[in-house]
Amino acid sequence: MTEDRDPMTMSRRQLIRHSAWFGAAVGLAVVGGEVISHVAGSATATLTRPTLRFAQVSDSHIGFTGPANADVTGSFTRAVDQINGLGYTPDFVIHTGDLTHLATPGQFDQVKQMLSGLETPHVFTVPGEHDSVDDAGQKYRKVFGAGTRGDGWYSFGIAGVHVIALVNTLNMTKLGHLGQDQLDFVKNDVAPLSSDTPIIVFSHIPLFAMYPDWGWGTDDSVQALSYLRRFASVTCLNGHVHQVFSKTEGNVTFFSATTTAYPLPHPGDGPAPKPLTLPAGKLHDALGIREVTYTKGQQALALKERTLP
Amino acid sequence: VSRRTQRIVVALSTAAVGSFLLAACVAANTPGAQPNPIFSTDVSATPGMAGAGNMPGMSAMPGMSMSPSQTGGGPPAAPVGPDAVNIDGFAFAPGTLTVKAGSTVTWTNKDEDPHTVVAGGGAFRSQALGSGGIYSFTFPAAGTFDYICSIHPFMHGTVVVTP
């Protein structure tokens, strides 16, 4: 296996070690109570909220039918309810792609309607390859592309944090792909920013080489990340791999999110990334959502993984 | 009443005029207040969509309309014969198929996952094939055609068409 010699890729053993480490780290990174007391006019101290807090949901695959999850709509409904029940209003919710399973107009309508039930001021999305399966993302952009640039990418600033949403599911030959237009966008987009601006990047496919044999990487991500090298804090959040995973490379930390639909095998576990059918009652432990908080003055974002109820 | 003041630096960029940094002091960010996203000013609309309660005008969507051709059902009969490619276990089999010009090649998806058949040069492109889905293409002239599954682009196949 060539991936053992590639510094960008983890061996199976490293991966297992890393997963174990990540599992522990998540527990420590949990931000404490979000209790905010609201007594009008009261001078009593209230717990300060983080500078920014948002939720990530991914890979809902609306339209999937199969034994791995007979009710992806029901699972995604639970995820929406879970976010709405967090006890605070997230500043936004990001869906990191594969909203639909087969990119049909009906599936896009359904997932948009479900996302509109999220109690948050803003819902952002990036497309997955299932959302751009046969038309280079045209149907996706018709529903979710308003205000975006190029083939659907965009950026925004919020609470002092700069957020970049990328599209890496088009024009693929083996791995995810950004393309020159999007690379130029990233370069120009961050050029005016001070190097202490925290950067958050969303994409569907990982921007690191998680497992290239299954397409779990992006062929020109190194170029994109080179424009972010001068920033003190860069956090990349992705979906696609249907499992929680984390890796740090220099100033950049990558976090793969789980799914609300069905689990996939760990990298290299079996011949192909086929949907895994778990024993009865185990499915929802593999599905979940993620909370992310940023507190000004702290370099690292805090993540909390929650399995579906 | 003491109010906590939070200083937020808002980075604003415009592509038309070049770029500049605007440092703004946003006062009175009481606990629980929402920070608002600041978008680049050279786009016509806000990316994303509003969540619940922020979009009172959002009406209920009509029910799903699933077109059979897009759910990948396909004809029930699997192809037999030399000009057939099976998609099985995230692989095209045979990986390289040689046919005569004028032949029709038929791909059948035997996986539970959807796949597509997409030529690198754009010569042919299937819709998403669900389990049992079938796609056919007739090759009028000689040539070598590399193709992938656009959903799983690590899946590669080749059709060699001889005169």
Side-chain angles (χ1 to χ4, degrees):
Chain A
M1 300 285 273
T2 55
E3 67 267 20
D4 287 332
R5 298 213 301 270
D6 182 350
M8 291 285 285
T9 311
M10 293 195 162
S11 70
R12 177 95 184 106
R13 185 179 300 173
Q14 285 173 312
L15 178 80
I16 292 165
R17 230 174 20 226
H18 207 95
S19 303
W21 169 85
F22 181 61
V26 167
L28 295 172
V30 167
V31 169
E34 288 290 345
V35 183
I36 297 170
S37 93
H38 269 290
V39 182
S42 164
T44 51
T46 55
L47 260 168
T48 57
R49 56 160 292 167
T51 312
L52 180 68
R53 57 188 173 191
F54 62 93
Q56 180 186 4
V57 66
S58 200
D59 294 84
S60 46
H61 286 266
I62 295 300
F64 172 85
T65 53
N69 186 344
D71 185 15
V72 291
T73 302
S75 298
F76 192 52
T77 301
R78 287 162 90 147
V80 170
D81 292 345
Q82 189 176 19
I83 291 172
N84 289 344
L86 286 174
Y88 61 89
T89 301
D91 297 322
F92 63 83
V93 175
I94 173 71
H95 189 309
T96 41
D98 282 356
L99 298 114
T100 70
H101 196 57
L102 288 173
T104 68
Q107 291 170 5
F108 278 122
D109 280 351
Q110 187 185 7
V111 75
K112 181 177 182 180
Q113 183 181 2
M114 294 177 79
L115 287 170
S116 72
L118 283 164
E119 288 161 13
T120 180
H122 306 275
V123 179
F124 296 105
T125 62
V126 293
E129 75 285 355
H130 283 257
D131 302 316
S132 52
V133 67
D134 55 3
D135 64 352
Q138 291 179 52
K139 288 193 294 286
Y140 165 81
R141 288 192 295 277
K142 197 172 170 190
V143 179
F144 294 105
T148 66
R149 296 194 242 184
D151 290 327
W153 52 83
Y154 54 92
S155 70
F156 59 89
I158 180 167
V161 176
H162 192 73
V163 181
I164 306 171
L166 300 178
V167 178
N168 60 354
T169 61
L170 307 179
N171 305 309
M172 297 190 289
T173 53
K174 180 186 175 192
L175 302 172
H177 183 71
L178 295 164
Q180 192 58 49
D181 287 355
Q182 197 165 202
L183 291 172
D184 291 343
F185 165 76
V186 173
K187 183 181 182 183
N188 296 329
D189 186 57
V190 302
L193 299 176
S194 145
S195 294
D196 61 1
T197 307
I199 305 285
I200 300 175
V201 183
F202 298 131
S203 66
H204 177 66
I205 297 174
L207 294 175
F208 66 105
M210 183 161 163
Y211 197 69
D213 283 356
W214 287 355
W216 292 0
T218 300
D219 56 16
D220 49 1
S221 62
V222 170
Q223 185 69 30
L225 294 171
S226 73
Y227 304 132
L228 306 178
R229 199 166 290 145
R230 68 184 171 90
F231 292 92
S233 167
V234 180
T235 307
C236 297
L237 304 178
N238 64 271
H240 187 58
V241 300
H242 293 213
Q243 57 198 289
V244 170
F245 186 73
S246 166
K247 185 179 189 186
T248 299
E249 290 174 7
N251 63 329
V252 185
T253 306
F254 304 92
F255 295 100
S256 298
T258 189
T259 166
T260 68
Y262 51 83
L264 289 174
H266 295 305
D269 204 354
K274 294 179 178 182
L276 280 180
T277 301
L278 298 180
K282 296 286 185 193
L283 175 61
H284 279 141
D285 290 342
L287 312 180
I289 63 152
R290 168 183 282 165
E291 295 172 83
V292 185
T293 58
Y294 163 71
T295 301
K296 190 172 167 58
Q298 295 180 4
Q299 188 162 318
L301 276 64
L303 275 68
K304 184 173 185 176
E305 312 286 349
R306 287 180 179 266
T307 57
L308 285 196
Chain B
V1 178
S2 74
R3 292 212 297 188
R4 206 173 129 264
T5 301
Q6 193 169 19
R7 203 179 167 86
I8 300 177
V9 177
V10 181
L12 196 67
S13 72
T14 63
V17 189
S19 302
F20 60 93
L21 260 178
L22 173 68
C25 186
V26 181
N29 201 8
T30 53
Q34 300 272 354
N36 285 314
I38 308 297
F39 299 97
S40 319
T41 54
D42 59 343
V43 291
S44 55
T46 302
M49 54 183 278
N54 251 58
M55 206 174 200
M58 183 130 183
S59 56
M61 298 282 175
M64 287 180 64
S65 58
M66 299 281 285
S67 125
S69 67
Q70 286 169 316
T71 55
V80 285
D83 297 345
V85 177
N86 281 326
I87 311 172
D88 198 359
F90 286 63
F92 297 106
T96 299
L97 179 71
T98 302
V99 299
K100 291 240 180 243
S103 301
T104 297
V105 176
T106 301
W107 287 262
T108 303
N109 180 17
K110 304 213 162 178
D111 274 344
E112 189 188 318
D113 248 31
H115 296 292
T116 64
V117 178
V118 177
F124 51 92
R125 177 178 200 106
S126 78
Q127 286 197 307
L129 308 175
S131 192
I134 288 176
Y135 172 69
S136 294
F137 182 77
T138 301
F139 292 86
T144 298
F145 299 88
D146 292 325
Y147 63 91
I148 60 168
C149 164
S150 61
I151 308 174
H152 311 100
F154 54 92
M155 296 168 56
H156 285 259
T158 302
V159 177
V160 178
V161 183
T162 58

